[in-house]
Amino acid sequence: MGKTLIDVNNLDKYFVKAELIPAIVQDIENGDVLMLAYMNRESLKKTLETGYTWFYSRSRNELWNKGATSGHVQKIIEMYSDCDDDTFLIKVEQTGPACHTGSRSCFFNRIL
């Protein structure tokens, strides 16, 4: 990931509507959607500073550095906010599976 285009100390515009905002993680190589997680101000700041994904775990109520335990890290190549600045799209180089089940993507339960 190159130099961030926003001030990491002024992230307020992303948290106007909510304390947590969704982050869609996509494989840079093939465009597959790997997962959806949530970010708060602190996880967003750590993400921008390190170049690797950090999220806020709603179930554990704590920050979570994706892959820190498993080694299945997500190196950020590109990151975008949507038109309302309330959702992120993060394009990553994924090491290993993205899902805690061992699947490459969290989206494998077909409904239709």
Side-chain angles (χ1 to χ4, degrees):
M1 186 168 113
K3 182 176 169 57
T4 184
L5 302 176
I6 61 173
D7 178 1
V8 297
N9 295 310
N10 186 13
L11 304 174
D12 292 342
K13 76 176 187 172
Y14 301 109
F15 299 94
V16 172
K17 295 178 185 173
E19 297 280 325
L20 296 176
I21 59 174
I24 302 161
V25 181
Q26 185 178 33
D27 190 314
I28 190 74
E29 292 179 17
N30 58 23
D32 287 351
V33 174
L34 299 175
M35 59 182 284
L36 175 119
Y38 292 86
M39 292 183 144
N40 65 4
R41 280 179 182 81
E42 188 177 358
S43 65
L44 175 57
K45 185 174 180 181
K46 284 184 170 287
T47 293
L48 296 172
E49 290 172 345
T50 66
Y52 288 85
T53 56
W54 283 78
F55 302 109
Y56 184 81
S57 171
R58 296 180 302 164
S59 60
R60 295 187 312 264
N61 294 318
E62 64 184 17
L63 289 185
W64 158 46
N65 179 212
K66 177 66 177 152
T69 303
S70 66
H72 302 153
V73 296
Q74 297 175 332
K75 181 180 179 187
I76 299 174
I77 306 303
E78 299 172 354
M79 184 170 176
Y80 300 88
S81 65
D82 74 345
C83 56
D84 295 321
D85 286 329
D86 63 1
T87 303
F88 295 120
L89 174 61
I90 306 172
K91 297 185 179 192
V92 302
E93 284 180 0
Q94 176 70 45
T95 301
C99 186
H100 73 281
T101 65
S103 180
R104 177 96 176 131
S105 168
C106 292
F107 295 94
F108 56 85
N109 291 316
R110 186 168 179 168
I111 295 173
L112 288 176

